[in-house]
């Protein structure tokens, strides 16, 4: 179980991004972390995986614990070794490496299980099996996303952090990614799903957190959040009373000042 | 005809030395995104290690002497010499590791040119030690074959030329296969996207260390073969090793493409062939071309190639932001 | 003016002001005042540089001013336009030689030795080649900038084709071609190592004998104030630097400056937004080269001598070091970087000499000196030998000076990769948020 | 508005400046000696430290000297107890290894002089600065030596390199500061360079002697004398090559390859190929040891056989004889020089040098560079002593004294005079050595044995060309 409590993260020693964030990812569950741009979602994933250093950020308060061990200041390689892998935002495939080599990098900490995981990934993504010798840089966005997920799976993680896996993908592909997540989860892996696409995320999440300005402002079961009015209005873009039009509304009518989020009052 | 063969042999031998040096640059650049301006200092230190081992028979501040070294006044046999060469390369690699740990590791993720200036600082700081160690006396690397040469169809080909070509071939093969190994793939991943590589659990620090260790060893290899008899320092380790890295090898690695192993070799050979052949066959035009014209031939070749192929012959076509 | 709220800008003019805050205005005034008094040898103020740089501190400081002008140029090219160039030395050389050709004395009987070149025996070389036209400074100084700028324009197409490190190395080629030209044309360039001499920095109206403003003799200026030759040159060059500084600062905050920065940040995006990439890269090269040319001309003039070998690759590399140590892209950073790179070696040298003089002083300083320094006697240990020659261990102070200098560069960049400007930013941000840390 | 403020500020500054300037206007040279004047009388320089912050090196100006300094007039760099001399050496640059040995022996020389009571009862303190062979640093160091306050010196006893010497020549004349350059180029007899003291044989004359000697050797071996000249760009190369050309012209030797200025850059293939093609039987080089090793090594290994020699700095036994080329140098190269090699004869001067150096620096390794530093020491001592006798140890007085002296090197090197027309006083003798790689064996001085491998063939050799050539100024 991953447990983040009261985490504060400061960039460049001046910019406070996370202000006492607390979330939990129980084993075997899919947890969604939602929020608009700049809410601190990606920072959260960096804080878990130890990548804050690259961005001049550091956790100043609070802890991240993983299966009882404090990993707040652990090195990325140690964290991956302990069973947390991530699919980074924007896929970040190694464009100059072939598909096989990309997958090999994913198994860097998992030398013994490399063969097993490789077969698993090839089963999961038949597309990749067709393009094993191709340079990753020349593949389409969807294929790259699959490669990125496959690469993360190569480490045989117990927790998979996915940062915006649906970003920039066609709806059909989003659907596919969603299915893959479910499949992975069904195999016993817990997933921390960081998304802007709240609909997609909440539809499969066991639990969800909504982040604003570096704090959790709302949390609850996936279904409960989906049903929440504020979530509907601000994250799903649905307006109350417009429901029969199913989301079609003129933005002329949007008067934000009229409605305040209840957590902001 | 003899002249042509002689010239060709010299060009290929010089190209081999350029290639070894280029490989050192490429390895470090690809692994750590650092353009290593300290290569001159590191390589000269490596050559000094060789000289100290084989000529002084041990470091003065250590209590024991080198038990393998040949007796005073004698030169080592080829096998023994190669053993010494290996030890010197290992010492150079250790120096590379130390420098990486002390000066480069804390800079992981910093801009390219900041790192380059760090290496420049290292070069400035290490150079006096090299100067002090060579002082005024010529330091030999104890080459077994000395100034001996072979005759081929009337052309005189020094054995050192052949040795340099063999060394470059071995170095190239080694680096080529290294790049296909587990660590090699990790290194290329780090080169492409450091953060993504970290996210895969690749220990970037270790990759940096390996790149610098190997790079330093290659640098020392280049310097040791450049310190053999027919080359300018005439069989000695001299401060002339410092400038060759910056002044003559830069066009080589740029021509080949900064991040290409094959490019380093091709660039080295191409530049050396142009340089040596221009020196040999255009010498009657010196009045027009100016004294020492062959020194700028590499740059002219580089300019022409780059205007046609902006990322060198084998470089990756990607805009590197600096 | 908004005291106490430095980031509150109520108008565009205020935002684009040269020195937007009262603090900056104030510190600029204080700095000017301090520098002026220091150069005039105002007792307590001059004691500080004297301690760091010795009695003749004004010479290295003046040299630093000249380097600062060139550094402003490279900042415009590398820091603002984002084109990494290692060819700055070449442009400085261009400016220097332009100045020599135009400002060097006419080769008549009574003029300088430079006009009667060494190489006239045996018909080895043309004899009258090394003479200039004897024009005054107000012609040769701008001209050297213009000529360097024109050559910069000629080079600039390469920047569109080649990028990043590749461009940096291509421009290295320029430096070597420059050196080669220097070797090929000794009748123009003078001897490769010792070069050619030429008249000094005086301001003349035309070619008359007595200068309008005397800069190369001790004496009174305008009947007002007695200054030494060094002080006069210092103030003159300092004034030129201020003008160049003002221009550079204005450039950065103008429409052109914004276009250049857009190209730096993402040239393709800038092009899409209607900023013509080639035009502005060309402009960046032209302006930067002009600065280099002017600095080169002043350097030649201040040294009294110009030779091809002075404009080698290491000079160019110096400027990259200046930019990075100072913090690329900002003028304040450039200035700080110049001071660091140009004056630090001198300071280190003076420091070790001072330490050596304290060897017998006792007290903590004496202890440290005793620990570090050795005279080479029995039982006297320490890494630094103060004997003049010390082959082997311990090494002489002269070699240690370089070790210390190199180490300082490394240590500094490790602790502050953003350069001196980054240090300043941290301090400023700290006080901005004080007493809240963020 | 902002501009106006700035202007107002500048005006204010100007006023302040004027006020400050006015206050110490009467002290002749501005700020620098304002505070030293007060410290003048209190301390009398007890310690011999050579830290150049000069905490106790008080310099009298004219007035003080008249009162206290009795008969001897002084201005800068000479106090009642100390004489400061400057050494502007390359201690970290390309020639650091050579120059640091030169400087070391000069320091030893002053130690010896001081032990004998100094000059005119004053201790001689050498101040050492490092130029790194960079012109602007060299100029900066010169300014430091030339200052008219603390840290100023009365003469510069060593100034490394022709370029730096050329750069400061004019300022030296302006400041009346006498300079002994570490440069044998024949540039300094010109009238403007009165403050630069040429020492020993010039490169030009050395080349004349060397070429003549080579010609005799080649012809004695039954070959036809065909000369190749190779030199590097710069005064050194030009001066040496010019001398060789003059000799060839006078002696009617055919120059089959004229490589003046050609040894430039890092790649010398062009020079080597032309040299090998030329069919020369004798080669005169004016290059550096590294360049010689390259050209010589490759030419000889391509089967080029000729007798080689060159100006002194072309060859360096410690740098070249440990190399694999040593047997080839032994066979084909003859070294030329300006003085007897280390322990090369029994003359009084040489024995003094050997015993003093050995006693004071037992760990130093045998080297001929000590001779150069020693010679500079002898020159400076002779000149300063003359100036003291004249009762004028001002800088101008020292320059004047340098024009009166004849210097006796006591058998180390041909004696030298500065008293007369250039053509009459120029030193025309040089030394020629056989390179003996077998004998070469460098040892610490204390070992008392070892050899540089330079076996003298000709001492103070004056060829017919050099003997009769009329010098009216520099060769080049």
């Amino acid at each position: 179980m991953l447990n983040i409590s009261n985490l504060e993260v400061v960039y460049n020693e001046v910019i406070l991004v996370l202000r006492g964030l607390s979330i939990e990812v129980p084993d075997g569950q899919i947890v969604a972390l939602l929020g608009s741009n700049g809410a601190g979602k990606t920072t959260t994933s960096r804080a878990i995986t130890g990548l804050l250093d690259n961005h001049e950020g550091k956790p100043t308060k609070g802890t991240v614990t993983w299966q009882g061990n404090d990993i707040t200041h652990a090195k990325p390689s140690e964290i991956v070794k302990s069973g947390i892998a991530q699919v980074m935002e924007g896929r970040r495939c190694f464009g100059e490496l072939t598909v096989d080599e990309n997958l090999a990098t994913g198994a860097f900490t998992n030398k013994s299980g490399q063969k097993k995981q490789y077969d698993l990934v090839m089963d999961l993504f038949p597309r990749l099996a067709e393009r094993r010798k191709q340079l990753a840089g020349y593949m389409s966005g969807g294929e790259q996303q699959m490669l990125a997920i496959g690469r993360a799976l190569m480490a045989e993680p117990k927790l998979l952090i996915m940062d915006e896996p649906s970003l920039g993908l066609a709806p059909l592909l989003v659907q596919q990614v969603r299915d893959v997540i479910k499949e992975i989860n069904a195999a016993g892996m817990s997933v921390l799903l960081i998304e802007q696409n709240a609909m997609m995320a909440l539809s499969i999440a066991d639990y969800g957190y909504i982040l604003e300005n570096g704090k959790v402002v709302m949390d609850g079961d996936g279904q409960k959040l989906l049903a929440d009015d504020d979530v509907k209005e601000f994250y799903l873009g649905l307006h109350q009373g417009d429901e029969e039009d199913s989301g079609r509304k003129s933005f002329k009518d949007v008067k934000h000042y009229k409605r305040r989020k209840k957590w902001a009052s | 005809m003899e002249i042509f063969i002689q010239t060709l042999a010299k060009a290929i031998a010089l190209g081999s030395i350029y290639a070894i040096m280029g490989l050192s640059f490429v390895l470090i650049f690809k692994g750590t995104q650092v353009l290593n301006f300290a290569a001159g200092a590191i390589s000269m230190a490596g050559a000094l290690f060789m000289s100290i081992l084989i000529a002084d028979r041990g470091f003065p501040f250590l209590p024991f002497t080198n038990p393998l070294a040949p007796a005073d006044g004698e030169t080592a046999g080829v096998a023994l010499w190669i053993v010494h060469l290996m030890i010197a390369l290992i010492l150079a690699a250790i120096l590379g590791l130390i420098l990486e740990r002390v000066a480069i590791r804390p800079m992981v993720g910093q801009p390219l040119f900041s790192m380059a200036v760090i290496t420049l600082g290292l070069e400035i700081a290490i150079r006096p030690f090299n100067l002090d160690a060579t002082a005024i006396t010529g330091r030999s690397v104890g080459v077994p074959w000395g100034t001996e040469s072979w005759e081929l169809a009337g052309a005189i080909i020094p054995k050192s030329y052949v040795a340099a070509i063999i060394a470059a071939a071995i170095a190239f093969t080694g680096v080529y296969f290294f790049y296909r190994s587990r660590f090699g793939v990790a290194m290329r991943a780090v080169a492409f996207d450091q953060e993504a590589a970290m996210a895969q659990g690749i220990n970037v620090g270790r990759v940096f260390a390996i790149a610098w260790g190997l790079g330093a060893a290659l640098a020392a290899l280049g310097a040791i073969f450049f310190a053999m008899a027919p080359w300018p320092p005439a069989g000695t380790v001299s401060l002339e090793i410092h400038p060759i890295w910056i002044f003559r090898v830069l066009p080589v690695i740029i021509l080949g493409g900064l991040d290409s192993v094959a490019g380093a070799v091709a660039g080295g050979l191409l530049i050396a062939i142009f340089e040596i052949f221009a020196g040999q066959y255009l010498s009657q035009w010196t009045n027009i071309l100016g004294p020492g014209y062959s020194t700028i031939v590499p740059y002219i070749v580089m300019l022409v190639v780059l205007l046609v192929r902006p990322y060198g012959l084998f470089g990756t076509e990607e805009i590197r932001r600096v | 003016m908004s005291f106490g709220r430095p980031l509150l800008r109520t108008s565009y003019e205020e935002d684009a002001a040269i020195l937007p805050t009262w603090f900056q205005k104030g510190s600029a005034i204080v700095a000017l005042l301090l520098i002026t008094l220091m150069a005039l040898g105002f007792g307590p103020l001059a004691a500080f540089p004297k301690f760091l740089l010795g009695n003749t501190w004004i010479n290295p400081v003046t040299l630093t001013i000249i380097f600062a002008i060139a550094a402003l140029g490279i900042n415009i090219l590398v820091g603002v336009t984002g084109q990494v160039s290692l060819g700055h030395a070449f442009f400085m050389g261009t400016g220097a030689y332009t100045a020599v050709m135009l400002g060097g004395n006419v080769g008549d009987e009574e003029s300088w030795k430079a006009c009667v070149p060494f190489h006239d025996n045996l018909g080895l070389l043309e004899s009258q080649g090394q003479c200039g036209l004897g024009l005054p400074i107000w012609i040769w100084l701008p001209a050297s900038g213009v000529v360097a700028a024109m050559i910069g324009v000629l080079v600039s197409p390469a920047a569109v084709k080649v990028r990043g490190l590749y461009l940096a190395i291509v421009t290295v080629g320029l430096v070597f071609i420059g050196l080669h030209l220097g070797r090929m044309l000794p009748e123009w360039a003078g001897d490769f190592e010792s070069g050619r001499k030429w008249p000094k920095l005086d301001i003349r109206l035309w070619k008359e004998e007595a200068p309008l403003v005397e800069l190369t003799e001790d004496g009174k200026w305008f009947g007002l104030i007695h200054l030494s030759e060094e002080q006069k040159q210092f103030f003159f060059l300092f004034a030129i630097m201020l003008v160049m500084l003002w221009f550079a600062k204005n450039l950065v905050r103008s429409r052109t400056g914004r276009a250049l920065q857009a190209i730096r940040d993402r040239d393709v995006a800038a092009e899409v937004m209607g900023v013509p990439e080639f035009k502005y890269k060309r402009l960046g090269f032209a302006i930067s080269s002009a600065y280099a040319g002017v600095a080169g001309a002043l350097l030649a003039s201040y040294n009294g001598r110009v030779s091809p070998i002075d404009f080698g690759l290491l000079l160019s590399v110096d400027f990259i070091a200046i930019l990075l140590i100072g913090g690329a892209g900002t003028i304040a950073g450039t200035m700080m970087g110049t001071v660091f790179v140009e004056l630090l070696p001198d300071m280190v040298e003076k420091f070790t000499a001072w330490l050596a003089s304290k060897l017998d002083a006792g007290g903590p300083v004496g202890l440290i000196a005793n620990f570090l320094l050795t005279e080479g006697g029995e039982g006297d240990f320490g890494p630094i030998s103060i004997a003049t020659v010390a082959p082997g261990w311990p090494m002489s102070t002269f070699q240690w000076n370089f070790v210390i200098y190199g180490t300082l560069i490394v240590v500094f960049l490790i602790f502050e990769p953003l350069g001196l400007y980054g240090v300043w930013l941290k301090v400023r941000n700290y006080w901005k948020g004080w007493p809240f840390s963020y | 508005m902002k501009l106006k403020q700035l202007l107002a500020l500048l005006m204010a500054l100007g006023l302040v400046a004027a006020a400050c300037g006015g206050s110490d206007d009467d002290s002749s040279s501005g700020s620098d000696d304002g505070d030293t004047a007060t410290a003048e009388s209190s301390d009398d320089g007890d310690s011999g430290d050579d830290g150049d912050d000069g905490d106790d090196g008080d310099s009298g100006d004219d007035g003080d000297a008249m009162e206290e300094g009795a008969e001897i007039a002084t201005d800068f760099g000479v106090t009642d107890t100390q004489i400061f001399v400057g050494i502007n050496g390359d201690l970290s640059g390309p020639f650091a290894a050579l120059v640091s040995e030169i400087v070391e022996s000069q320091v030893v020389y002053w130690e010896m002089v001081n032990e004998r009571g100094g000059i005119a009862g004053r201790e001689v303190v050498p101040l050492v600065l490092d130029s790194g062979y960079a012109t602007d640093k060299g100029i900066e160091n010169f300014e430091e030596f030339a200052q008219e306050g603390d840290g100023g010196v009365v003469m510069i006893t060593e100034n490394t390199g022709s370029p730096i010497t050329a750069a400061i020549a004019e300022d030296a004349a302006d400041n009346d500061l006498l300079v002994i350059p570490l440069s044998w180029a024949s540039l300094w007899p010109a009238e403007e360079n009165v403050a630069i003291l040429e020492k020993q044989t010039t490169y030009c004359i050395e080349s004349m002697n060397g070429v003549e000697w080579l010609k005799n050797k080649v012809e004695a071996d039954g070959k036809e004398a065909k000369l190749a000249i190779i030199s590097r760009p710069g005064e050194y190369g030009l001066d040496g090559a010019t001398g060789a050309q003059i000799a060839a012209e006078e002696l009617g030797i055919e120059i089959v390859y004229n490589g003046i200025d050609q040894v430039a850059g890092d790649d010398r293939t062009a020079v080597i190929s032309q040299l090998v093609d030329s069919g020369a039987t004798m080669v005169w080089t004016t290059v550096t040891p590294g360049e010689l090793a390259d050209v010589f090594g490759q030419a000889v290994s391509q089967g080029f056989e000729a007798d080689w020699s060159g100006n002194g700095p072309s060859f360096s036994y410690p740098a070249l004889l440990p190399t694999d080329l040593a047997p080839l140098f032994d066979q084909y190269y003859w070294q030329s020089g300006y003085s007897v090699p280390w322990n090369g004869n029994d003359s009084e001067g040489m024995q003094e040098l050997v015993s003093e150096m050995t006693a004071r620096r037992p760990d130093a390794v045998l080297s001929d560079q000590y001779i150069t530093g020693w010679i500079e020491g002898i020159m400076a001592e002779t000149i300063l002593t003359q100036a003291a006798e004249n009762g004028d140890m001002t800088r101008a007085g020292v320059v004047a004294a340098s024009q009166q002296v004849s210097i006796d090197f006591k058998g180390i090197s041909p004696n030298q005079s500065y008293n007369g027309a250039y053509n009459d006083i120029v030193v025309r003798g040089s030394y020629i050595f056989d390179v003996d790689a077998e004998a070469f064996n460098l040892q610490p001085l204390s070992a008392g044995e070892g050899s540089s491998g330079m076996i003298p063939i000709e001492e103070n050799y004056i060829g017919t060309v050099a003997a009769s050539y009329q010098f009216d100024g520099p060769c080049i």
Side-chain angles (χ1 to χ4, degrees), chain A residues 46 51 54-56 75-77 80 86 88 92-97 101 104-106 108-109 111 151-152, chain B residues 30 110 180 182-183 185-186 188-190 192-203 259 316 318 320:
Chain A
R46 283 178 192 156
L51 294 178
N54 284 21
H55 301 269
E56 305 285 326
K75 280 197 250 163
S77 54
V80 174
Q86 73 164 329
M88 295 177 80
R92 305 284 280 271
C93 293
F94 302 117
E96 292 173 16
L97 270 58
E101 285 171 337
T105 61
F108 194 77
T109 55
K111 211 175 160 188
R151 189 176 61 180
Chain B
K30 220 172 152 68
Q110 297 300 338
R180 266 140 195 82
R182 178 163 166 265
F183 255 110
V185 170
R188 282 153 64 207
V190 169
F192 187 81
D193 185 339
Q194 195 169 302
E195 194 184 8
M198 283 168 94
Q200 308 315 316
I202 293 172
N203 189 336
D259 50 3
T316 314
E318 178 241 4
R320 284 199 190 279

Side-chain angles (χ1 to χ4, degrees), chain A residues 219-237:
Chain A
D219 61 332
D221 289 346
Q223 294 312 312
K224 188 190 121 197
L225 287 179
L226 258 184
D228 187 273
D229 287 348
D230 283 345
V231 174
K232 270 188 193 158
E233 165 118 24
F234 293 104
Y235 292 95
L236 303 179

